[in-house]
Coordinates of all heavy atoms in Angstrom, one line a residue:
M1 N 21.8 -15.4 -32.1 CA 20.6 -16.2 -31.8 C 20.8 -16.9 -30.5 O 19.9 -17.0 -29.6 CB 20.2 -17.2 -33.0 CG 18.8 -17.7 -32.8 SD 17.5 -16.5 -32.7 CE 17.1 -16.3 -34.5
S2 N 22.0 -17.7 -30.4 CA 22.1 -18.5 -29.2 C 22.5 -17.6 -28.0 O 22.1 -17.8 -26.8 CB 23.5 -19.4 -29.4 OG 24.5 -18.5 -29.7
R3 N 22.9 -16.4 -28.3 CA 23.1 -15.4 -27.4 C 21.8 -15.1 -26.6 O 21.6 -14.9 -25.5 CB 23.7 -14.2 -27.9 CG 24.9 -13.7 -27.1 CD 25.5 -12.5 -27.7 NE 26.8 -12.2 -27.4 CZ 27.5 -11.2 -27.7 NH1 27.0 -10.3 -28.5 NH2 28.8 -11.0 -27.2
L4 N 20.8 -14.9 -27.5 CA 19.5 -14.4 -27.0 C 18.9 -15.5 -26.1 O 18.3 -15.3 -25.0 CB 18.5 -14.2 -28.2 CG 17.2 -13.5 -27.8 CD1 17.4 -12.0 -27.3 CD2 16.3 -13.4 -29.0
R5 N 19.1 -16.8 -26.4 CA 18.6 -17.9 -25.7 C 19.3 -17.9 -24.3 O 18.7 -18.1 -23.4 CB 19.0 -19.3 -26.4 CG 17.7 -19.9 -27.0 CD 17.7 -21.3 -27.1 NE 18.9 -22.0 -27.6 CZ 19.3 -22.1 -28.8 NH1 18.5 -21.5 -29.8 NH2 20.5 -22.5 -29.2
F6 N 20.6 -17.7 -24.3 CA 21.4 -17.5 -23.1 C 20.8 -16.5 -22.1 O 20.6 -16.7 -21.0 CB 22.8 -17.3 -23.5 CG 23.7 -17.0 -22.1 CD1 24.1 -18.1 -21.3 CD2 24.0 -15.7 -21.7 CE1 24.7 -17.8 -20.2 CE2 24.8 -15.5 -20.7 CZ 25.2 -16.6 -19.8
W7 N 20.5 -15.3 -22.7 CA 20.0 -14.3 -21.9 C 18.6 -14.6 -21.4 O 18.2 -14.2 -20.2 CB 19.8 -13.0 -22.8 CG 21.1 -12.2 -23.1 CD1 22.2 -12.6 -22.6 CD2 21.3 -11.3 -24.1 NE1 23.2 -11.7 -23.1 CE2 22.6 -10.9 -23.9 CE3 20.3 -10.6 -24.9 CZ2 23.1 -9.8 -24.8 CZ3 20.9 -9.5 -25.6 CH2 22.3 -9.2 -25.6
R8 N 17.9 -15.4 -22.1 CA 16.5 -15.6 -21.7 C 16.4 -16.8 -20.7 O 15.4 -17.1 -20.0 CB 15.6 -15.9 -22.8 CG 15.3 -14.7 -23.5 CD 14.3 -14.9 -24.7 NE 14.0 -13.6 -25.3 CZ 13.1 -12.8 -24.9 NH1 12.5 -13.0 -23.6 NH2 12.9 -11.6 -25.4
R9 N 17.6 -17.6 -20.6 CA 17.5 -18.7 -19.7 C 17.4 -18.3 -18.2 O 18.1 -17.2 -17.8 CB 18.9 -19.5 -19.8 CG 18.8 -20.8 -19.3 CD 20.0 -21.6 -19.6 NE 21.2 -20.8 -19.0 CZ 22.4 -21.1 -19.0 NH1 22.7 -22.2 -19.8 NH2 23.4 -20.4 -18.5
R10 N 16.6 -18.9 -17.4 CA 16.6 -18.4 -15.9 C 17.9 -18.8 -15.3 O 18.3 -19.9 -15.3 CB 15.4 -19.1 -15.3 CG 15.2 -18.7 -13.9 CD 14.1 -19.4 -13.3 NE 12.7 -19.0 -13.8 CZ 11.9 -18.3 -13.2 NH1 12.1 -17.9 -12.0 NH2 10.8 -18.0 -13.7
D11 N 18.5 -17.9 -14.8 CA 19.9 -18.1 -14.2 C 20.1 -17.5 -12.9 O 20.0 -16.3 -12.6 CB 20.9 -17.3 -15.2 CG 22.3 -17.6 -14.9 OD1 22.7 -18.2 -13.8 OD2 23.2 -17.2 -15.6
P12 N 20.2 -18.4 -12.0 CA 20.3 -17.8 -10.5 C 21.4 -16.9 -10.2 O 21.3 -15.9 -9.5 CB 20.5 -19.2 -9.6 CG 20.3 -20.3 -10.5 CD 20.3 -19.9 -12.0
L13 N 22.5 -17.1 -11.0 CA 23.6 -16.2 -10.8 C 23.3 -14.9 -11.4 O 23.6 -13.8 -10.8 CB 24.9 -16.7 -11.6 CG 25.8 -17.7 -10.9 CD1 27.0 -18.1 -12.0 CD2 26.3 -17.0 -9.6
M14 N 22.4 -14.8 -12.4 CA 22.1 -13.6 -12.9 C 21.2 -12.7 -11.9 O 21.3 -11.6 -11.8 CB 21.2 -13.8 -14.3 CG 20.8 -12.5 -15.0 SD 22.1 -11.3 -15.5 CE 21.2 -9.8 -15.6
C15 N 20.5 -13.5 -11.1 CA 19.6 -12.8 -10.1 C 20.5 -12.2 -9.1 O 20.2 -11.1 -8.7 CB 18.7 -13.9 -9.3 SG 17.3 -14.6 -10.4
R16 N 21.6 -12.8 -8.7 CA 22.5 -12.1 -7.8 C 23.1 -10.9 -8.4 O 23.3 -9.9 -7.8 CB 23.6 -13.1 -7.3 CG 23.0 -14.3 -6.5 CD 24.0 -15.3 -6.2 NE 25.0 -14.8 -5.2 CZ 25.9 -15.6 -4.7 NH1 26.0 -16.7 -5.0 NH2 26.6 -15.0 -3.8
E17 N 23.5 -11.1 -9.6 CA 24.1 -9.9 -10.4 C 23.0 -8.8 -10.4 O 23.4 -7.5 -10.3 CB 24.5 -10.3 -11.8 CG 25.6 -9.7 -12.4 CD 25.8 -10.1 -13.9 OE1 25.7 -11.4 -14.1 OE2 26.2 -9.4 -14.6
F18 N 21.8 -9.1 -10.7 CA 20.8 -8.2 -10.8 C 20.6 -7.3 -9.7 O 20.6 -6.2 -9.7 CB 19.5 -9.1 -11.0 CG 18.3 -8.2 -11.5 CD1 18.0 -8.1 -12.9 CD2 17.5 -7.5 -10.6 CE1 16.9 -7.4 -13.3 CE2 16.4 -6.7 -11.1 CZ 16.1 -6.7 -12.5
V19 N 20.7 -8.0 -8.4 CA 20.6 -7.3 -7.2 C 21.8 -6.3 -7.0 O 21.5 -5.2 -6.5 CB 20.6 -8.3 -5.9 CG1 20.7 -7.5 -4.7 CG2 19.3 -9.0 -6.0
E20 N 22.9 -6.7 -7.4 CA 24.1 -5.7 -7.3 C 24.1 -4.6 -8.2 O 24.5 -3.5 -7.9 CB 25.4 -6.6 -7.5 CG 25.8 -7.4 -6.4 CD 26.9 -8.4 -6.8 OE1 27.6 -8.1 -7.7 OE2 27.0 -9.5 -6.1
L21 N 23.5 -4.8 -9.4 CA 23.5 -3.8 -10.4 C 22.3 -3.0 -10.6 O 22.2 -2.1 -11.4 CB 23.9 -4.4 -11.8 CG 25.2 -5.1 -12.0 CD1 25.4 -5.7 -13.3 CD2 26.4 -4.1 -11.7
V22 N 21.3 -3.3 -9.7 CA 19.9 -2.7 -10.0 C 19.9 -1.2 -9.9 O 19.3 -0.5 -10.5 CB 18.9 -3.3 -9.1 CG1 19.1 -3.0 -7.6 CG2 17.5 -3.1 -9.5
T23 N 20.7 -0.7 -8.8 CA 20.8 0.8 -8.7 C 21.5 1.5 -9.9 O 21.0 2.4 -10.4 CB 21.6 1.2 -7.4 OG1 22.8 0.6 -7.4 CG2 20.7 0.9 -6.2
D24 N 22.5 0.8 -10.4 CA 23.1 1.4 -11.7 C 22.1 1.4 -12.8 O 22.0 2.3 -13.6 CB 24.3 0.5 -12.1 CG 25.5 0.7 -11.3 OD1 25.4 1.7 -10.4 OD2 26.5 0.0 -11.4
Y25 N 21.3 0.3 -12.9 CA 20.4 0.2 -13.9 C 19.2 1.4 -13.8 O 19.0 2.1 -14.8 CB 19.6 -1.1 -13.9 CG 18.4 -1.3 -14.9 CD1 18.6 -1.5 -16.1 CD2 17.2 -1.0 -14.4 CE1 17.6 -1.6 -17.0 CE2 16.1 -1.2 -15.2 CZ 16.3 -1.3 -16.6 OH 15.3 -1.4 -17.5
L26 N 18.9 1.6 -12.6 CA 17.8 2.7 -12.3 C 18.3 4.0 -12.6 O 17.6 4.9 -13.0 CB 17.3 2.5 -10.9 CG 16.4 1.3 -10.6 CD1 16.0 1.2 -9.1 CD2 15.1 1.4 -11.4
E27 N 19.6 4.2 -12.4 CA 20.3 5.4 -12.5 C 20.8 5.6 -14.0 O 21.4 6.7 -14.3 CB 21.3 5.7 -11.5 CG 20.9 6.0 -10.1 CD 21.9 5.8 -9.0 OE1 23.1 5.7 -9.5 OE2 21.6 5.7 -7.9
G28 N 20.5 4.7 -14.8 CA 20.9 4.7 -16.3 C 22.4 4.7 -16.5 O 22.9 5.2 -17.4
R29 N 23.1 4.0 -15.6 CA 24.5 4.0 -15.7 C 25.1 2.6 -16.2 O 26.3 2.5 -16.5 CB 25.2 4.2 -14.3 CG 25.1 5.7 -13.8 CD 26.0 5.9 -12.6 NE 25.3 5.5 -11.4 CZ 25.9 4.7 -10.4 NH1 27.1 4.5 -10.4 NH2 25.3 4.5 -9.3
L30 N 24.1 1.7 -16.6 CA 24.5 0.5 -17.2 C 24.8 0.7 -18.7 O 24.1 1.3 -19.4 CB 23.5 -0.6 -17.0 CG 23.4 -1.3 -15.7 CD1 22.4 -2.5 -15.9 CD2 24.8 -1.9 -15.2
P31 N 25.9 0.1 -19.2 CA 26.2 0.1 -20.7 C 25.0 -0.6 -21.3 O 24.3 -1.4 -20.8 CB 27.4 -0.7 -20.8 CG 28.0 -0.8 -19.5 CD 27.0 -0.7 -18.4
E32 N 24.8 -0.1 -22.5 CA 23.6 -0.7 -23.4 C 23.5 -2.2 -23.3 O 22.4 -2.7 -23.1 CB 23.8 -0.2 -24.8 CG 22.8 -0.8 -25.8 CD 21.6 0.2 -25.7 OE1 21.5 1.0 -25.0 OE2 20.6 -0.3 -26.3
Q33 N 24.6 -2.9 -23.5 CA 24.6 -4.3 -23.6 C 24.1 -4.9 -22.2 O 23.3 -5.8 -22.2 CB 26.0 -4.9 -24.0 CG 26.0 -6.2 -24.6 CD 27.4 -6.8 -25.0 OE1 28.4 -6.1 -24.6 NE2 27.4 -7.9 -25.5
E34 N 24.6 -4.4 -21.1 CA 24.2 -4.9 -19.8 C 22.7 -4.6 -19.6 O 22.0 -5.4 -19.0 CB 25.0 -4.2 -18.7 CG 26.4 -4.7 -18.6 CD 26.5 -6.1 -18.0 OE1 26.2 -6.2 -16.9 OE2 26.9 -7.0 -18.8
R35 N 22.3 -3.4 -19.9 CA 20.9 -3.1 -19.8 C 20.0 -4.0 -20.6 O 18.9 -4.4 -20.1 CB 20.6 -1.7 -20.4 CG 19.4 -1.0 -20.0 CD 19.4 0.5 -20.4 NE 19.5 0.7 -21.8 CZ 18.5 0.5 -22.7 NH1 17.3 0.1 -22.3 NH2 18.7 0.6 -23.9
L36 N 20.3 -4.4 -21.8 CA 19.5 -5.3 -22.5 C 19.5 -6.7 -21.9 O 18.5 -7.5 -21.9 CB 20.1 -5.5 -24.0 CG 20.0 -4.3 -24.8 CD1 20.7 -4.5 -26.2 CD2 18.5 -4.0 -25.1
R37 N 20.7 -7.1 -21.3 CA 20.7 -8.4 -20.6 C 19.8 -8.4 -19.3 O 19.1 -9.3 -19.0 CB 22.1 -8.6 -20.0 CG 22.4 -10.1 -20.0 CD 24.0 -10.3 -20.1 NE 24.7 -9.6 -19.1 CZ 25.2 -10.2 -17.8 NH1 24.9 -11.4 -17.7 NH2 25.9 -9.6 -17.1
F38 N 19.7 -7.2 -18.7 CA 18.9 -7.0 -17.5 C 17.4 -7.1 -18.0 O 16.7 -7.9 -17.3 CB 19.0 -5.5 -17.1 CG 19.7 -5.5 -15.7 CD1 21.0 -6.0 -15.5 CD2 19.0 -4.9 -14.7 CE1 21.5 -5.8 -14.2 CE2 19.6 -4.7 -13.4 CZ 20.8 -5.2 -13.2
E39 N 17.0 -6.4 -19.0 CA 15.7 -6.5 -19.4 C 15.2 -7.9 -19.9 O 14.2 -8.3 -19.7 CB 15.4 -5.3 -20.5 CG 15.5 -4.0 -19.9 CD 15.6 -2.8 -20.8 OE1 15.6 -3.1 -22.1 OE2 15.5 -1.7 -20.3
A40 N 16.2 -8.5 -20.6 CA 15.9 -9.9 -21.0 C 15.7 -10.8 -19.8 O 14.8 -11.7 -19.8 CB 17.1 -10.5 -21.9
H41 N 16.5 -10.6 -18.9 CA 16.4 -11.4 -17.6 C 15.0 -11.2 -16.9 O 14.4 -12.1 -16.5 CB 17.5 -11.2 -16.7 CG 17.5 -12.0 -15.4 ND1 17.7 -13.3 -15.2 CD2 16.9 -11.5 -14.1 CE1 17.5 -13.7 -14.0 NE2 17.0 -12.7 -13.2
M42 N 14.6 -9.9 -17.0 CA 13.4 -9.6 -16.2 C 12.2 -10.3 -16.9 O 11.2 -10.6 -16.3 CB 13.2 -8.1 -16.2 CG 13.7 -7.5 -15.0 SD 13.2 -5.7 -14.8 CE 14.1 -5.0 -16.1
D43 N 12.3 -10.5 -18.3 CA 11.3 -11.2 -19.0 C 10.9 -12.6 -18.5 O 9.8 -13.0 -18.5 CB 11.7 -11.5 -20.5 CG 11.3 -10.2 -21.3 OD1 10.6 -9.3 -20.9 OD2 11.6 -10.2 -22.5
G44 N 11.9 -13.3 -17.9 CA 11.7 -14.5 -17.5 C 11.8 -14.7 -16.0 O 11.8 -15.9 -15.5
C45 N 11.9 -13.7 -15.2 CA 12.1 -13.8 -13.8 C 11.2 -12.9 -13.1 O 11.6 -11.6 -13.0 CB 13.6 -13.5 -13.6 SG 14.0 -13.8 -11.8
D46 N 10.2 -13.4 -12.5 CA 9.2 -12.5 -11.7 C 9.8 -12.0 -10.5 O 9.5 -10.8 -10.1 CB 8.0 -13.3 -11.3 CG 7.2 -13.6 -12.5 OD1 7.3 -13.1 -13.6 OD2 6.4 -14.7 -12.4
G47 N 10.7 -12.8 -9.9 CA 11.4 -12.2 -8.7 C 12.1 -11.0 -8.9 O 11.9 -10.0 -8.1
C48 N 12.9 -11.0 -9.9 CA 13.7 -9.7 -10.1 C 12.8 -8.6 -10.7 O 13.1 -7.4 -10.4 CB 14.8 -10.0 -11.2 SG 16.1 -11.0 -10.6
T49 N 11.8 -8.9 -11.5 CA 10.8 -7.8 -11.9 C 10.2 -7.1 -10.7 O 10.3 -5.9 -10.6 CB 9.7 -8.4 -12.8 OG1 10.3 -9.2 -13.8 CG2 8.9 -7.3 -13.3
G50 N 9.8 -7.9 -9.7 CA 9.3 -7.4 -8.5 C 10.3 -6.6 -7.6 O 10.1 -5.5 -7.1
Y51 N 11.5 -7.1 -7.6 CA 12.7 -6.5 -6.9 C 12.9 -5.0 -7.6 O 13.1 -4.0 -6.8 CB 13.9 -7.3 -6.9 CG 15.0 -6.7 -6.1 CD1 14.9 -6.8 -4.8 CD2 16.1 -6.2 -6.8 CE1 15.9 -6.2 -4.0 CE2 17.2 -5.6 -6.1 CZ 17.1 -5.7 -4.7 OH 18.2 -5.2 -4.0
L52 N 12.9 -5.1 -8.9 CA 13.2 -3.9 -9.5 C 12.2 -2.8 -9.2 O 12.4 -1.6 -9.0 CB 13.2 -4.0 -11.1 CG 13.5 -2.7 -11.8 CD1 15.0 -2.4 -11.7 CD2 13.2 -2.9 -13.3
E53 N 10.9 -3.1 -9.2 CA 9.8 -2.4 -8.8 C 9.9 -1.7 -7.4 O 9.8 -0.5 -7.2 CB 8.5 -2.9 -9.0 CG 8.1 -3.2 -10.5 CD 8.2 -1.8 -11.3 OE1 7.6 -0.8 -10.9 OE2 8.8 -1.9 -12.2
D54 N 10.3 -2.6 -6.6 CA 10.5 -2.1 -5.1 C 11.8 -1.1 -5.1 O 11.5 0.0 -4.5 CB 11.0 -3.3 -4.3 CG 9.7 -4.2 -4.0 OD1 8.6 -3.8 -4.2 OD2 9.9 -5.4 -3.4
M55 N 12.8 -1.4 -5.7 CA 14.0 -0.6 -5.7 C 13.7 0.8 -6.4 O 14.1 1.8 -6.1 CB 15.1 -1.2 -6.5 CG 15.8 -2.3 -5.7 SD 16.3 -1.7 -4.0 CE 17.7 -0.7 -4.4
R56 N 12.8 0.7 -7.5 CA 12.4 2.0 -8.2 C 11.7 2.9 -7.2 O 11.9 4.0 -7.1 CB 11.7 1.6 -9.5 CG 11.6 2.8 -10.5 CD 10.5 2.6 -11.4 NE 10.6 1.4 -12.3 CZ 11.4 1.3 -13.4 NH1 12.1 2.4 -13.7 NH2 11.4 0.3 -14.1
R57 N 10.7 2.3 -6.5 CA 9.9 3.1 -5.5 C 11.0 3.7 -4.4 O 10.7 4.9 -4.2 CB 8.9 2.2 -4.9 CG 7.6 2.3 -5.6 CD 6.4 1.7 -4.6 NE 6.7 0.4 -4.4 CZ 6.3 -0.7 -5.2 NH1 5.7 -0.4 -6.3 NH2 6.5 -1.9 -5.0
L58 N 11.9 2.9 -4.1 CA 12.8 3.4 -3.1 C 13.7 4.5 -3.5 O 13.7 5.5 -2.8 CB 13.6 2.1 -2.6 CG 14.5 2.3 -1.4 CD1 13.5 2.4 -0.1 CD2 15.5 1.2 -1.1
V59 N 14.2 4.3 -4.7 CA 15.2 5.2 -5.2 C 14.3 6.5 -5.5 O 14.8 7.6 -5.3 CB 15.8 4.7 -6.5 CG1 16.4 5.8 -7.3 CG2 16.9 3.6 -6.2
T60 N 13.1 6.3 -6.0 CA 12.3 7.6 -6.3 C 12.0 8.4 -5.0 O 12.2 9.6 -5.0 CB 11.0 7.1 -7.0 OG1 11.4 6.4 -8.2 CG2 10.3 8.4 -7.4
S61 N 11.7 7.7 -3.9 CA 11.4 8.4 -2.7 C 12.6 8.9 -2.1 O 12.5 10.0 -1.6 CB 10.7 7.4 -1.8 OG 11.4 6.3 -1.4
L62 N 13.7 8.3 -2.1 CA 15.0 8.9 -1.6 C 15.4 10.0 -2.5 O 15.8 10.9 -1.9 CB 16.1 7.7 -1.8 CG 16.0 6.6 -0.6 CD1 17.2 5.7 -0.9 CD2 16.1 7.2 0.8
G63 N 15.2 9.9 -3.8 CA 15.6 11.1 -4.6 C 14.8 12.3 -4.4 O 15.5 13.3 -4.7
E64 N 13.7 12.2 -3.8 CA 12.9 13.4 -3.6 C 13.5 14.1 -2.3 O 13.2 15.3 -2.2 CB 11.4 13.1 -3.3 CG 10.7 12.7 -4.7 CD 9.5 12.1 -4.4 OE1 9.1 11.8 -3.3 OE2 8.8 11.6 -5.4
V65 N 14.1 13.4 -1.4 CA 14.5 14.1 -0.2 C 16.1 14.3 -0.1 O 16.5 15.0 0.9 CB 14.1 13.4 1.1 CG1 12.5 13.5 1.0 CG2 14.5 11.9 1.1
S66 N 16.8 13.7 -0.9 CA 18.3 13.7 -0.7 C 19.0 14.0 -1.9 O 18.6 13.8 -3.0 CB 18.8 12.5 0.0 OG 18.7 11.3 -0.7
E67 N 20.3 14.2 -1.7 CA 21.3 14.4 -2.8 C 21.5 13.0 -3.3 O 21.4 12.0 -2.6 CB 22.5 14.9 -2.3 CG 22.4 16.3 -1.6 CD 22.6 17.4 -2.6 OE1 23.7 17.6 -3.1 OE2 21.6 18.1 -2.7
P68 N 22.0 13.0 -4.7 CA 22.3 11.7 -5.2 C 23.6 11.2 -4.4 O 24.4 12.0 -4.0 CB 22.7 12.0 -6.7 CG 22.8 13.5 -6.8 CD 21.9 14.1 -5.6
P69 N 23.7 9.9 -4.4 CA 24.9 9.4 -3.6 C 26.2 9.6 -4.4 O 26.1 9.7 -5.7 CB 24.8 7.8 -3.6 CG 23.7 7.5 -4.7 CD 22.9 8.8 -4.9
P70 N 27.3 9.9 -3.7 CA 28.5 10.1 -4.3 C 29.0 9.0 -5.1 O 28.7 7.8 -4.9 CB 29.5 10.5 -3.2 CG 28.9 10.0 -2.0 CD 27.4 9.9 -2.2
D71 N 29.7 9.1 -6.2 CA 30.2 8.0 -7.0 C 31.3 7.2 -6.2 O 31.8 7.8 -5.2 CB 30.8 8.5 -8.3 CG 31.9 9.5 -8.2 OD1 33.0 8.9 -7.8 OD2 31.8 10.6 -8.2
P72 N 31.7 6.1 -6.7 CA 32.4 5.2 -5.9 C 33.8 5.8 -5.5 O 34.3 5.6 -4.5 CB 32.6 3.9 -6.8 CG 31.5 3.9 -7.6 CD 31.0 5.4 -7.8
A73 N 34.3 6.6 -6.5 CA 35.7 7.1 -6.2 C 35.6 8.1 -5.0 O 36.4 8.2 -4.2 CB 36.2 7.8 -7.5
T74 N 34.5 8.9 -5.1 CA 34.3 9.9 -4.0 C 34.0 9.1 -2.6 O 34.7 9.6 -1.7 CB 33.0 10.8 -4.4 OG1 33.2 11.3 -5.6 CG2 33.0 12.0 -3.3
R75 N 33.3 8.1 -2.7 CA 33.0 7.4 -1.5 C 34.3 6.8 -0.9 O 34.6 6.8 0.2 CB 32.1 6.2 -1.7 CG 30.6 6.6 -1.7 CD 29.8 5.4 -1.3 NE 29.9 4.3 -2.4 CZ 29.0 4.4 -3.3 NH1 28.0 5.1 -3.4 NH2 29.1 3.4 -4.3
K76 N 35.1 6.3 -1.8 CA 36.4 5.8 -1.3 C 37.4 6.8 -0.7 O 38.0 6.6 0.3 CB 37.2 5.1 -2.6 CG 37.9 3.9 -2.4 CD 38.3 3.2 -3.7 CE 39.4 2.2 -3.5 NZ 39.8 1.7 -4.8
A77 N 37.4 7.9 -1.4 CA 38.2 9.1 -0.9 C 37.6 9.5 0.5 O 38.4 9.8 1.4 CB 38.2 10.3 -1.8
L78 N 36.4 9.6 0.6 CA 35.8 10.0 1.9 C 36.1 9.0 3.0 O 36.4 9.4 4.1 CB 34.2 10.2 1.7 CG 33.7 11.3 1.1 CD1 32.2 11.2 0.9 CD2 34.0 12.5 2.0
G79 N 35.9 7.7 2.7 CA 36.2 6.6 3.6 C 37.7 6.8 4.1 O 37.9 6.6 5.3
R80 N 38.6 7.1 3.2 CA 40.0 7.1 3.5 C 40.2 8.3 4.5 O 40.8 8.3 5.5 CB 41.0 7.3 2.3 CG 42.3 6.8 2.4 CD 43.0 6.6 1.2 NE 42.7 7.6 0.2 CZ 42.3 7.4 -1.1 NH1 42.3 6.1 -1.5 NH2 42.2 8.3 -1.9
A81 N 39.5 9.5 4.1 CA 39.7 10.7 4.9 C 39.1 10.5 6.3 O 39.7 11.0 7.3 CB 38.8 11.8 4.3
F82 N 38.1 9.8 6.4 CA 37.4 9.5 7.8 C 38.3 8.7 8.6 O 38.6 8.9 9.8 CB 36.1 8.8 7.6 CG 35.0 9.7 7.3 CD1 34.0 9.4 6.3 CD2 34.9 11.0 8.0 CE1 33.0 10.3 5.9 CE2 33.9 11.8 7.6 CZ 33.0 11.5 6.6
R83 N 39.0 7.6 7.9 CA 39.9 6.7 8.6 C 41.0 7.6 9.1 O 41.5 7.3 10.2 CB 40.4 5.6 7.8 CG 39.5 4.4 7.8 CD 40.2 3.1 7.3 NE 40.6 3.3 5.9 CZ 39.8 3.2 4.8 NH1 38.5 2.8 5.0 NH2 40.4 3.3 3.6
E84 N 41.6 8.5 8.3 CA 42.8 9.2 8.6 C 42.4 10.2 10.0 O 43.3 10.3 10.8 CB 43.2 10.1 7.4 CG 44.1 9.3 6.5 CD 44.3 9.8 5.3 OE1 43.9 11.0 5.1 OE2 44.8 9.2 4.3
L85 N 41.2 10.7 9.9 CA 40.8 11.6 10.9 C 40.7 10.7 12.2 O 41.2 11.2 13.3 CB 39.3 12.1 10.7 CG 39.2 13.3 9.9 CD1 37.8 13.7 9.6 CD2 39.8 14.5 10.8
R86 N 40.1 9.5 12.2 CA 40.0 8.7 13.4 C 41.4 8.4 14.0 O 41.6 8.2 15.2 CB 39.3 7.4 13.1 CG 37.8 7.7 12.7 CD 36.9 6.9 13.6 NE 37.2 5.6 13.6 CZ 36.5 4.6 13.0 NH1 35.5 4.9 12.2 NH2 36.8 3.3 13.0
M87 N 42.5 8.3 13.1 CA 43.8 7.9 13.6 C 44.5 9.0 14.3 O 45.4 8.7 15.1 CB 44.6 7.3 12.5 CG 44.2 6.0 12.0 SD 45.3 5.2 10.9 CE 45.3 6.2 9.5
E88 N 44.1 10.3 14.1 CA 44.7 11.4 14.8 C 44.3 11.6 16.1 O 43.3 11.1 16.6 CB 44.5 12.6 14.0 CG 45.4 12.8 12.8 CD 45.1 13.9 11.9 OE1 44.1 14.6 12.1 OE2 45.8 14.0 10.8
Ligands
ZN1 ZN1 16.2 -13.0 -11.5

């Protein structure tokens, strides 16, 4: 019960977290508990609700024309490979 109150409290830190995790949310990669926290936060935060809608439109339009982005491990490996190429 106290947990639910915590989730519903308007929390500026949660807004920043929201921005960072919004792509994971849209791609369905958030764990159940995080997803519920997201949705609870949106209930009380118009800013994040609007932001999510913008991101959803963006992701949808990008998804129509391009491959899904590589996962973080792949990106990291690619970054390392590019750095090594530049050093040669
Ligand atoms: Zn918010």
Side-chain angles (χ1 to χ4, degrees):
M1 196 57 93
S2 60
R3 229 181 199 184
L4 193 65
R5 258 209 314 279
F6 173 75
W7 284 349
R8 289 186 175 280
R9 201 178 56 183
R10 188 185 285 255
D11 181 355
L13 273 180
M14 182 62 206
C15 289
R16 295 175 70 176
E17 208 182 328
F18 195 96
V19 170
E20 280 170 24
L21 296 177
V22 71
T23 49
D24 283 352
Y25 174 77
L26 287 173
E27 287 165 15
R29 283 190 281 139
L30 280 187
E32 178 78 2
Q33 208 181 0
E34 286 290 293
R35 194 171 60 77
L36 291 174
R37 207 154 65 96
F38 248 61
E39 286 165 359
H41 178 76
M42 271 190 289
D43 269 355
C45 186
D46 291 344
C48 286
T49 306
Y51 184 74
L52 179 75
E53 285 311 308
D54 287 347
M55 284 306 286
R56 196 196 298 276
R57 266 195 296 274
L58 189 68
V59 166
T60 305
S61 63
L62 285 178
E64 284 164 5
V65 294
S66 68
E67 302 273 295
D71 62 75
T74 309
R75 271 206 297 268
K76 219 167 163 183
L78 278 176
R80 207 161 42 227
F82 283 132
R83 270 200 302 280
E84 280 164 12
L85 270 177
R86 294 235 310 256
M87 284 194 297
E88 275 170 0

